[in-house]
Amino acid sequence: MIYLDFAASSPLLPSVRTELFRAFEEEYSNPSSAHKLGRTSAEKIENVRKILADSIGAYKSEIVFTSGASEANNLAIKGYVLANQQKGKHIITSSIEHKCILAICHFLEKEHGYEITYISPQKNGIIDSQDVIQAMRDDTVLVSIMHVNNELGSIQPIEVIGKACFERNIKFHVDAAQSYKKIAIDVDELNIDMLSISAHKIYGPKGIGALYIRDLRETRIQPVIHGAGQEYGLRGGTLPTPLILGFGAAVEDPTIENTYTEVNNLNCLFRTKIIEIGGAINSPDIKCIPHIVNIRLPKFDAAHFVGTSDFLCSQGSACSSMNIEISYVLAEIGLNFSEANQSLRLSFGVDHDFKNLLSLLKKFIELKQYHS
Ligand SMILES: Cc1ncc(COP(=O)(O)O)c(C=O)c1O
């Protein structure tokens, strides 16, 4: 089997595995305990908090551990807007955010009377920053725009949007699940107030992530999980020491950064070959991370391929047993039902090998001959 689905989740890096397994064996006490073992684990957790903070130009007191990016997004959006209702009830986001952001926004619309403006992308999958700026109003309490789209790899203009939010005193949240460690992020330079990240997208363990909150102690946030005061009272529950230490090892490991150029070369070559065999690229030509490419092949049955092939990748459309729904992201960039069903998302990782992609191309050519 050949794994080409790193944007969905990634295997553990060796350094992460070593630290994770060590911590599962040794760091079993409750890090809130006052005894020696508890205090040692708590210190190590604080060290990871600092590693995370340093990686985005933040203070360690601004990092809250969560179970992943979905929970971080919930804490950022629901937590902030529900605690600041007097500031206004208008939110701006995009129509191609991850499903969890859209679900949070639908919940706020339905249950709390918020008005949400969903900005559509341009045909290349990139949001026009001017569309976001024009949608800003006096009662806009939050703008939430993802850094990199998970289906297309398109990079959004968060620097321009962040500046506009700063000038208008509007909080700016960024879902960086797909960009963290692939694009350098400095929360001050980009004027980001809240940033969501997830360990399993960067070869860390599943079930751990974090939310950066600027000036956390001065910011009113409603907890999403009430508990015994952990994480500044914002996120109750015993901290999962091994997962946090594994997350820290993933952040410190330079493999993602060190393999960037090779992944980029592989992506460029693969795109060229796809065009040569009569396919098309749904991802943008520029402003796209090299780790994700969304392709389209004529007469191709992506659902069948994903379900049966030994090349493990994702489909552009989401299927349920009752009906086939096309991917809302591909629909938003103008693809019709059959084009979306001919689309595949491939995502590349650190153990890339062009030979694997050549065998995938060979498979595509065989399938093309079969269909014609
Ligand atoms: C852009 C984006 N946001 C959020 C998530 C959810 O992350 P997690 O699995 O850590 O909750 C994902 C994962 O697919 C993602 O790609």
Side-chain angles (χ1 to χ4, degrees), residues 7-8 68-71 73 98 100 146 148 150 175 177-178 198 200-201:
S70 300
E71 189 191 322
N73 289 339
H98 187 267
C100 72
M146 69 199 324
V148 164
N150 48 306
D175 176 351
Q178 294 293 347
S198 179
H200 74 99
K201 308 288 185 186

Side-chain angles (χ1 to χ4, degrees), residues 2 9 62-63 73 82 96-97 100 103 119 149 170-171 179 191 200 202 226 245 277 280 286 292 313 327 350:
I2 294 171
S9 199
E62 298 175 313
I63 303 292
N73 289 339
L82 293 177
I96 56 165
E97 295 298 304
C100 72
I119 306 292
N149 180 267
I170 298 170
K171 288 279 178 217
S179 64
N191 286 298
H200 74 99
I202 58 159
H226 292 84
L245 301 191
I277 64 164
I286 50 165
I292 297 179
C313 48
S327 147
V350 296

Side-chain angles (χ1 to χ4, degrees), residues 168-342:
R168 290 161 183 78
N169 199 20
I170 298 170
K171 288 279 178 217
F172 183 36
H173 167 249
V174 173
D175 176 351
Q178 294 293 347
S179 64
Y180 181 57
K181 296 259 296 167
K182 290 166 192 140
I183 303 177
I185 298 173
D186 183 304
V187 288
D188 284 345
E189 273 173 23
L190 297 170
N191 286 298
I192 295 170
D193 296 303
M194 292 183 279
L195 184 98
S196 303
I197 56 177
S198 179
H200 74 99
K201 308 288 185 186
I202 58 159
Y203 306 85
K206 290 167 189 55
I208 187 74
L211 177 67
Y212 153 77
I213 305 174
R214 181 180 295 282
D215 300 331
L216 188 152
R217 291 194 181 124
E218 278 87 60
T219 307
R220 283 166 60 94
I221 309 263
Q222 190 168 297
V224 173
I225 300 176
H226 292 84
Q230 295 95 340
E231 297 303 272
Y232 317 99
L234 289 182
R235 202 272 182 174
T238 302
L239 285 172
T241 314
L243 300 184
I244 292 174
L245 301 191
F247 191 7
V251 175
E252 282 202 301
D253 193 305
T255 312
I256 299 179
E257 291 88 338
N258 290 350
T259 51
Y260 187 95
T261 307
E262 288 160 58
V263 174
N264 195 34
N265 293 342
L266 178 114
N267 181 307
C268 291
L269 203 53
F270 185 67
R271 284 176 179 237
T272 309
K273 296 280 179 203
I274 288 293
I275 307 281
E276 275 174 21
I277 64 164
I281 309 294
N282 295 326
S283 297
D285 294 340
I286 50 165
K287 301 234 181 288
C288 188
I289 55 163
H291 307 79
I292 297 179
V293 64
N294 199 305
I295 62 164
R296 194 167 77 246
L297 297 161
K299 298 187 191 161
F300 182 68
D301 184 346
H304 184 255
F305 186 81
V306 169
T308 57
S309 162
D310 278 345
F311 294 95
L312 309 179
C313 48
S314 294
Q315 196 197 342
S317 56
C319 297
S320 79
S321 53
M322 298 299 286
N323 57 349
I324 296 174
E325 226 178 82
I326 82 160
S327 147
Y328 62 92
V329 174
L330 297 182
E332 280 292 301
I333 61 166
L335 266 60
N336 62 31
F337 186 82
S338 65
E339 287 169 331
N341 282 318
Q342 293 164 358

